[in-house]
Amino acid sequence: MGTVNRLIVIVLFKGVDLLDVTGPPEVFSLVPRETTERVGYEVVLAAETLEPVTTAAGVRILPDTTFDEVCARAIDTLLVPGSVEVEGDGERRIHPVVEPGTVARVKALATRARRVASVCVGAHILAAAGLLDGKRATTHWSTAQRLAADHPAVRVDPDPIFIREEGEVWTGAGISACLDLSLALVAEDFGEAVALRVARQLVMYLKRPGGQSQFSVPLEQLSTTRRIEDLRHHILNNIGRRLTVPDLAAYAHVSDRQLTRIFKTELGTTPHAYIEAARVELAGNLLETTDDTLERVASRCGFGTVDTLIRAFRRRLATTPSEYRARFR
């Protein structure tokens, strides 16, 4: 009996990000080594023609097949990578590459696929193809606002590493998070045990949970005013204490209403949400690096009670503190 392979088609186009294309196959290629069953993946790179495709890194890749040829096959997973362009001499801005021809091809191929997944800013291509309408999706944090603005029908969440939605539509953050997404796909197809063995070969965690944040709260987009930066540092330096809107407003010498408006304008969130995000991040670090009890973690991070800590983790990371510690300790 021959090996049963699931066909994965990776979309190629000029300027595509190299790691988005090469990272997932590295994960998929290890599956046959880590299971006694004759199963695995057949990964093919598809492009408009068989001519070499130059990636954003300058490395040229040879397609295995054309879009027309692969359309005749039953596709298990359609994987859509991304690419960005940088413009501006002073304030350099990046924007996703969304070519109409690529969008049309992805839309057609998606009808032949059991599931569709985007890597990094490839989510913009899925959105342009109408595949994310009404769905929650993520992308690289630097283009999340653009995705939300361009596609109001998409519920953009810039925080998670990856998101799986009904209808077998997956979106992943960038850039190395393509490995986390790929491991999650392996776990779904062949079970957690196989995915764990693959992860060990890659010297990785089995997976960061889909709800884990892409980036640190202090590394979010910098604000444009000194006042909000002082507030952010004040919050981080006093995270274990009681922090209320009136307290922060008094510290900043503004009204409660003005403080809320400043946070919304500068950071795109509320003071309460920002404080909770910072506390969850600190709690995650303590769970990973210390033997502190949940009571101690809750106290050090300003949650007060374990129940409050658990609710915040469920809300922010879709997991519990105990599950988080078990995965990342």
Side-chain angles (χ1 to χ4, degrees):
M1 182 178 177
T3 301
V4 178
N5 288 324
R6 297 169 180 258
L7 177 62
I8 295 182
V9 176
I10 300 179
V11 175
L12 294 184
F13 52 88
K14 182 180 178 181
V16 67
D17 285 335
L18 181 61
L19 186 58
D20 288 3
V21 175
T22 59
E26 290 289 346
V27 175
F28 301 139
S29 69
L30 292 174
V31 170
R33 287 175 43 183
E34 302 304 328
T35 178
T36 56
E37 300 179 28
R38 300 180 66 84
V39 295
Y41 296 100
E42 177 188 356
V43 180
V44 300
L45 308 181
E48 196 65 48
T49 72
L50 294 179
E51 293 297 316
V53 174
T54 303
T55 67
V59 176
R60 294 194 301 169
I61 298 178
L62 286 175
D64 299 303
T65 186
T66 67
F67 294 137
D68 288 332
E69 290 171 344
V70 82
C71 264
R73 303 183 63 183
I75 302 170
D76 181 80
T77 305
L78 178 66
L79 199 61
V80 182
S83 179
V84 297
E85 292 178 343
V86 182
E87 60 182 18
D89 296 327
E91 181 184 351
R92 296 174 66 80
R93 299 178 299 276
I94 68 171
H95 63 87
V97 174
V98 183
E99 294 292 337
T102 303
V103 172
R105 288 296 195 175
V106 166
K107 188 173 184 178
L109 288 169
T111 65
R112 304 283 302 168
R114 179 180 69 87
R115 67 185 171 195
V116 178
S118 65
V119 179
C120 198
V121 295
H124 293 261
I125 297 174
L126 293 192
L131 300 174
L132 299 182
D133 287 354
K135 292 180 169 59
R136 180 168 164 260
T138 193
T139 186
H140 192 275
W141 60 266
S142 63
T143 66
Q145 289 185 349
R146 176 69 176 269
L147 181 62
D150 289 349
H151 303 281
V154 181
R155 292 180 286 120
V156 179
D157 187 343
D159 204 37
I161 294 296
F162 61 84
I163 292 174
R164 176 189 179 184
E165 279 287 86
E166 293 181 3
E168 290 297 337
V169 177
W170 299 62
T171 51
I175 298 175
S176 61
C178 67
L179 303 180
D180 298 283
L181 173 64
S182 301
L183 281 170
L185 296 176
V186 170
E188 182 189 48
D189 294 342
F190 301 112
E192 295 281 334
V194 173
L196 175 59
R197 292 195 291 271
V198 170
R200 285 173 175 164
Q201 290 296 329
L202 294 167
V203 197
M204 289 180 62
Y205 293 113
L206 166 56
K207 62 178 179 179
R208 289 177 282 181
Q212 189 177 3
S213 179
Q214 287 189 43
F215 51 88
S216 164
V217 169
L219 293 180
E220 291 176 355
Q221 182 179 1
L222 292 178
S223 63
T224 57
T225 66
R226 178 62 181 273
R227 175 180 288 168
I228 197 69
E229 283 303 299
D230 287 344
L231 275 167
R232 284 155 58 104
H233 287 296
H234 176 73
I235 290 169
L236 293 175
N237 290 334
N238 296 276
I239 200 69
R241 301 178 182 177
R242 183 173 180 268
L243 293 169
T244 66
V245 169
D247 292 336
L248 294 178
Y251 176 82
H253 304 291
V254 297
S255 68
D256 294 4
R257 181 176 296 180
Q258 186 177 358
L259 179 86
T260 300
R261 186 167 57 249
I262 289 171
F263 265 80
K264 192 66 176 178
T265 301
E266 294 287 339
L267 300 177
T269 188
T270 65
H272 179 269
Y274 183 86
I275 292 168
E276 182 179 78
R279 283 175 169 159
V280 166
E281 181 177 344
L282 175 59
N285 180 265
L286 293 175
L287 291 168
E288 292 176 32
T289 60
T290 74
D291 293 319
D292 286 354
T293 63
L294 294 187
E295 289 80 5
R296 175 62 174 159
V297 170
S299 175
R300 289 180 65 178
C301 299
F303 285 111
T305 68
V306 173
D307 284 344
T308 305
L309 171 68
I310 292 173
R311 287 196 298 271
F313 260 67
R314 287 196 181 279
R315 186 163 46 246
R316 292 274 167 183
L317 304 181
T319 188
T320 67
S322 296
E323 291 169 346
Y324 185 97
R325 171 171 270 169
R327 285 175 175 171
F328 298 106
R329 185 58 192 269

